[in-house]
Each structure stands twice: as C-alpha cells, then as structure tokens.
Amino acid sequence: MDTENHSNISNARKKKKKKCNQNSENKFQFDLNSCSKNKDLRGAISLYGIAISQNLRISQHHFNSLLYLCSNSVKDPSLKDLALDYGFRVFDRMLSIGINPNEASITAVARLAAAKGDGDCAFELVKSMGKYNLTPRLRTYDPALFCFCENLDAGKAYEVEEHMGVAGISLEEAEISSLLKVSADTGKEERVYGYLHKLRSSVRCVSESTAKNIEDWFRNTKTSEVGALNLDADRLKELILRNGGGWHGRGWIGKGNWVVHGSNVNTDGCCCSCFQKLVCVDIDDDETDKFAQSVAGLAMEREVKANFSQFQAWLDKHNDYKAIVDGANIGLYQQNFADGGFSTSQLDSVVNELYHRNGKKWPLVVLHSKRIRGLLENPSCSKLVEEWIDKGVLYTTPSGSNDDWYWLYAAVKLKCLLVTNDEMRDHIFELLGSNFFTKWKERHQVRYTFVKGNAKLQMPPPYSLVIQESEKGTWHVPVVGHSNEESNRTWLCITRLSASDASNNDLTNEGNSENGHLSCNSKSTNPCQSENVTNNGGHHCLTGKRKERSPSPS
C-alpha cells in the first residue's frame, strides 16, 4: 500500500512538473511572438536567455523567430552589432542541439552574413542547403547576390546568378537591376547589354531606381566608345522581325556619346523626343512554333485526335486567312442565353468589317457543327450561313469538340489576328502557361463592341509597354508611373548623335520642358505625323501578320 501511494505521489509530481514546463513553454511561445510582432530584439534576447536557463524546449519555430528578428534588426544602426552577435550564436546553438534549419533559417542567417559584408558566407549557406535536402528560393540567394554587387565583386555576383540558373530560379527586376549596375560600374559593357535584354523580357515598365541605373550607364562618358560600326542594316531588320519586333540582340550600335531624354509616347506610338515609331512586340518565331505545337498537343489529348489532325491538314492548305473569328463568342454577345439566342447579324457585321478592312479578304469563322445545323434550319438566317459556307468563311468543328482549341490554334499557326472578347482565362488556357501567352494576346487579340448594330473593332495597341531596341541602336525604356494616362508615362529615350541627327537634336532641345520631357505638341518635323508611316510591329494593316521573313540565317 505504501509503495502504491509513493508511486502515485511520484506520478503526480511528474505531471505537475510537466504541466509547469508546458505552461512555461507556452508563455515563452506567447511572449516571443509578441516580441516578433513588435520587433523587440532586446526583449526576445532576454526571453531566449531565460528559456536556456530553465532548460525549456526550444523548437525550430522558436529559433526561426529569433533569427528573423535578428536579420531584420541589422537595419537599425543601434541594434546591428547586437543582432549580428546573437544571430550567429542562436544559429550555432540550433545546429549544436541537432535541430536542422529550414529554408527560412538559412535565409535569415544569409542576411546576417551579408549585413556584415560577408557575401562568401551568405553564398556558402545557400550551397550547404543540399545536405539538409532543402530547396533555395529567390530570397535565399538575394543576400549573397546583393552583397557581391554592392562590394563591386562582379565575378562572384555572376557565380551566384549561374548557381541560381542551375537551381531553376528566375531573376526578377531587383536582381537584374543590381547585376546591371555592378556590370556598369566595373565596365563590363556586354554584360550591361545582356541585362538590359533580361529586363526587357521579364518586366514591362522598370522602377525608378532601375531607370536611374540604366540612365547612369548611358550618361557615363566611357560608354561613348562602346559599340560596333557598319553592321548590316538589312540583317538587323531581319533579326528584329524574327524576334517579334522591338529588339535585335546583336549588341551596341554606333559610337559617340549617348543622349538621354525623359520623353512621352503619343497615342500612335511615336516618341515625342526622337520621333521614332515604337512597335507592338510579338513573341518570336521559335516561341510561336512552340506555342502552336503546345496548343495542338493539348488539343489532341482532349479532342478526338483524328478530328483535330484533319483540321491541321485543312489549315495547311488554307493558310492565307488574315483573321480568325470566335463565332460563338460574337453570336452570343449580349444575347439571351436562356432562350438560346444567337445573333447572326452581329457575326455578319464583324465578318464584313474584317472583309473591307483587310483588302476584301474573308476571315475564318470557327463554329460548332451543332450551331451550324441550328442556323441552317432557321429560315431567317439559313441563306446567310450558306453564303458563308460558299465563300469559305466557316469552319465547322465536329460534334463533341471544344471550339476554343480550333480558333486558338488557327490564330497562332497562321500568325494572324483573333477576334474574340474571351479573356482566355479558362483552365485550357492555364495549361498553356502565362509566360508568353499574355504577350501573344496583346499582339493578336481584337476585341469588339457594337454601336447601333455596327461592329466596332478594338485593334491591338500600336506599341508595347516594354523596353525596345531599334535597328539604329536607339533604346526606349518605359518607367513605372503614377498616372493612369499612358500619354503621361515617362520613357527614357536613349539615342546616339551623328551628323545627320544634329538638326533633330536642335529641335529636341527646343522642345524639352523643364522636367526633361518633350511636349508632343511641340512644332517640329515629325515623321510620326505622316499618314504613310508604317510600323512593322504595329497594326496599321489589319492582318496582324509580321512581314515575310527571309530564310533563317546560318
């Protein structure tokens, strides 16, 4: 009996002690969360000391909270030394008691290392993640990358970039801008050129800080001798066409000082400083081919393969259409769906508008066979549908098919316009990915509305909001703005002077306002004002097709 009582008392004491420890651990957790929320580093350090003295269980989450506080506190000069000292001590203890770090732990310590200027340590931490089976993220690399860039250690910054590429991590604007700056500061002009194109392909409008880095590069007198003379102008134009417009990628062109202006672009896509016509940038030839193959591959997984293959073969023989029309989208626009309403008059208006705009060339209308049968059985519209069939306007998709695959494939394959108000956000479009799909839509999609029954087509924009490089070697860089009016957006207009540019430069200087912007209303000989100006990337012709290309250069 005494033994049993002793055992019960012992168990009760253990439970009481365990409960006490749990209460202490819960209080530690609560207080630490409060310190983290209030960014109270000193309070967190005090709590950490008490937890160690009481031998409380400290989890990975607790350690990460402490490391996060330390890494954030290095920005405060009064706390920096304390944060660095305790941050590394906390991390060392974490490892010594057998708690493996996670990605957040490594990122926090890498930030601490970078804060004391040790980019090598920050980079080694990233490279050590493999032994913990951890996958780095963009934020994990940033401390080492930015540290090397700030220390003007371009070689090591490039090593970090290469390591990121192997890990499948894509650079964003902040990282590209930093690499561009260190390349500019260390005189690596080809790297600067490459990073400008990385910016072009990854962001639309650059931030003000990135714009300053770009402007500083071009304003540096050392850049005046950077560039090649006597490049083949026809070859450059060919490359620009193959690339989808807006860039050639062959390197700096010309010699002499660069002239940088803050400018605006008018509604026709004309720069108000140099009067150059900007273009609407398309995806390049390789991307177009891959896109078409992707659409076809997905379609044949979800459609009857023979039906879609038959359409592909038909399209190869009828490949001169300039516009593809999503017939159902137009016919059902603002109709009564419950009553099965379908407006052939709306579709006819769009078809005729395209026919007259495009040199009396009929578009291709894609409609489902069930819809066609219903229209042919309706006396009020059967004659019109029969005329469409006779003129080769209609392609009838088979029973059980999804029209979307057919009209999208046709528009991509033929590199022509697509008339639809469909935002293309359904799951089938998500399968295609958004990397270049958004760019393709901007260049090829025509939206519509009706005014008193007449179709009004909203053509693709005359120019793309993206960094552009011309065959003359000029650059135009859009900057993030604070206005909803595109005409008020600041662009960096970057040109090189030559003897033939002298008169234009005088006009430019006269037209500049105090803030460095040229008024689009300034009087000058502006080639953009000509009605005959053509734009190989714009939409002055309806087709949306790029010019015929010469065979690929060897």
Side-chain angles (χ1 to χ4, degrees):
M1 190 71 174
D2 291 340
T3 304
E4 185 177 348
N5 285 337
H6 179 76
S7 176
N8 288 338
I9 292 170
S10 178
N11 289 336
R13 286 175 178 171
K14 288 179 180 177
K15 288 180 180 179
K16 185 177 180 181
K17 183 178 181 181
K18 184 177 181 181
K19 186 176 182 180
C20 182
N21 284 340
Q22 286 177 336
N23 288 337
S24 297
E25 288 173 4
N26 289 340
K27 187 176 186 307
F28 172 60
Q29 175 73 67
F30 178 82
D31 290 343
L32 184 59
N33 287 343
S34 296
C35 288
S36 182
K37 182 179 180 180
N38 296 321
K39 300 180 180 178
D40 182 4
L41 176 63
R42 297 185 190 278
I45 289 173
S46 177
L47 286 172
Y48 175 64
I50 294 171
I52 295 295
S53 66
Q54 294 181 352
N55 201 28
L56 297 182
R57 185 181 66 88
I58 304 179
S59 68
Q60 183 193 75
H61 175 73
H62 298 139
F63 279 115
N64 279 355
S65 294
L66 289 160
L67 291 170
Y68 173 78
L69 258 175
C70 289
S71 66
N72 272 1
S73 298
V74 295
K75 301 171 187 176
D76 184 341
S78 66
L79 293 175
K80 182 175 180 179
D81 290 341
L82 181 66
L84 290 174
D85 179 37
Y86 266 88
F88 286 109
R89 284 167 60 182
V90 166
F91 186 60
D92 289 342
R93 181 170 179 82
M94 180 181 182
L95 297 180
S96 69
I97 63 176
I99 296 180
N100 286 340
N102 61 11
E103 182 273 332
S105 318
I106 297 294
T107 298
V109 182
R111 287 171 180 165
L112 290 170
K116 67 174 186 176
D118 194 347
D120 291 316
C121 176
F123 193 21
E124 286 302 319
L125 282 163
V126 179
K127 291 189 282 189
S128 73
M129 293 176 72
K131 67 182 179 184
Y132 302 114
N133 294 318
L134 299 175
T135 302
R137 295 165 59 181
L138 178 63
R139 69 177 189 176
T140 324
Y141 282 101
D142 278 350
L145 180 66
F146 292 143
C147 185
F148 288 138
C149 289
E150 288 168 8
N151 293 337
L152 297 183
D153 197 337
K156 288 182 178 178
Y158 301 150
E159 285 182 34
V160 176
E161 180 190 9
E162 184 179 353
H163 201 277
M164 293 170 74
V166 173
I169 306 294
S170 298
L171 298 173
E172 294 183 0
E173 180 180 358
E175 291 75 25
I176 300 171
S177 181
S178 190
L179 285 161
L180 184 150
K181 186 177 188 307
V182 73
S183 300
D185 291 344
T186 55
K188 295 176 173 55
E189 64 270 5
E190 294 308 314
R191 287 278 188 171
V192 174
Y193 184 84
Y195 290 126
L196 274 172
H197 278 295
K198 283 183 182 288
L199 280 172
R200 177 193 55 76
S201 62
S202 61
V203 300
R204 293 172 69 81
C205 300
V206 303
S207 66
E208 291 181 357
S209 60
T210 298
K212 184 180 185 307
N213 289 342
I214 295 171
E215 186 172 355
D216 287 347
W217 158 257
F218 283 105
R219 288 192 184 279
N220 190 327
T221 56
K222 294 179 181 178
T223 63
S224 63
E225 293 304 310
V226 174
L229 297 172
N230 303 320
L231 290 178
D232 187 333
D234 291 336
R235 173 66 184 276
L236 290 176
K237 289 179 180 179
E238 178 188 342
L239 285 169
I240 288 175
L241 289 173
R242 289 180 59 227
N243 291 340
W247 68 285
H248 53 76
R250 295 292 291 178
W252 306 111
I253 296 176
K255 298 284 185 181
N257 291 333
W258 293 92
V259 178
V260 182
H261 288 300
S263 184
N264 304 119
V265 174
N266 68 20
T267 54
D268 292 326
C270 184
C271 174
C272 298
S273 179
C274 69
F275 309 134
Q276 181 175 311
K277 193 83 169 178
L278 273 63
V279 301
C280 191
V281 178
D282 202 350
I283 59 177
D284 64 33
D285 283 359
D286 290 340
E287 288 175 323
T288 300
D289 291 340
K290 290 176 183 176
F291 190 14
Q293 292 169 14
S294 177
V295 174
L298 289 168
M300 285 193 280
E301 288 177 10
R302 290 157 178 78
E303 299 283 311
V304 175
K305 188 172 182 179
N307 289 341
F308 199 80
S309 295
Q310 182 180 353
F311 174 63
Q312 287 181 293
W314 181 88
L315 199 64
D316 286 340
K317 296 178 181 178
H318 303 81
N319 58 8
D320 59 344
Y321 289 102
K322 309 301 182 185
I324 309 299
V325 178
D326 177 2
N329 183 267
I330 295 169
L332 295 172
Y333 178 72
Q334 294 187 339
Q335 300 302 301
N336 189 328
F337 294 99
D339 296 337
F342 186 94
S343 174
T344 52
S345 62
Q346 287 183 173
L347 185 53
D348 188 43
S349 179
V350 170
V351 167
N352 281 301
E353 178 70 12
L354 291 168
Y355 175 76
H356 290 295
R357 282 197 181 209
N358 205 40
K360 297 187 177 181
K361 187 78 177 175
W362 293 109
L364 175 65
V365 177
V366 176
L367 268 179
H368 195 274
S369 58
K370 182 179 179 180
R371 180 74 61 187
I372 296 294
R373 285 197 301 271
L375 295 174
L376 287 172
E377 291 169 0
N378 186 337
S380 65
C381 57
S382 59
K383 183 177 179 181
L384 175 61
V385 175
E386 287 172 354
E387 287 179 2
W388 287 342
I389 294 172
D390 290 341
K391 294 170 181 174
V393 171
L394 283 178
Y395 186 89
T396 307
T397 59
S399 178
S401 64
N402 184 338
D403 292 0
D404 295 359
W405 292 116
Y406 289 78
W407 51 251
L408 179 60
Y409 176 78
V412 176
K413 181 67 176 178
L414 301 186
K415 301 182 178 72
C416 63
L417 295 175
L418 170 63
V419 186
T420 181
N421 281 352
D422 193 323
E423 292 301 328
M424 292 178 262
R425 291 173 181 159
D426 296 342
H427 68 281
I428 73 163
F429 303 110
E430 291 175 0
L431 294 171
L432 299 169
S434 59
N435 188 25
F436 52 80
F437 189 25
T438 302
K439 187 192 296 184
W440 181 88
K441 284 198 297 180
E442 181 185 66
R443 176 67 183 88
H444 292 270
Q445 184 175 5
V446 177
R447 292 176 173 82
Y448 62 86
T449 188
F450 295 95
V451 178
K452 296 181 179 180
N454 296 317
K456 300 296 181 184
L457 302 182
Q458 181 184 336
M459 305 304 292
Y463 66 97
S464 293
L465 208 58
V466 65
I467 295 174
Q468 300 197 18
E469 173 193 36
S470 78
E471 69 269 19
K472 296 179 181 179
T474 62
W475 291 80
H476 287 86
V477 181
V479 183
V480 170
H482 306 289
S483 170
N484 293 327
E485 294 294 328
E486 279 304 319
S487 60
N488 293 331
R489 181 180 301 283
T490 296
W491 287 69
L492 294 183
C493 170
I494 305 166
T495 60
R496 261 181 163 152
L497 287 179
S498 66
S500 61
D501 296 323
S503 59
N504 281 343
N505 185 53
D506 291 338
L507 288 168
T508 300
N509 289 333
E510 288 175 7
N512 274 330
S513 63
E514 291 182 3
N515 63 2
H517 291 234
L518 186 74
S519 168
C520 286
N521 296 321
S522 60
K523 294 181 180 180
S524 60
T525 307
N526 186 347
C528 290
Q529 293 173 349
S530 170
E531 292 293 329
N532 297 321
V533 171
T534 59
N535 178 6
N536 62 7
H539 66 261
H540 289 279
C541 63
L542 180 70
T543 67
K545 282 194 174 184
R546 300 194 293 273
K547 292 181 180 179
E548 292 299 322
R549 295 165 173 78
S550 303
S552 300
S554 56

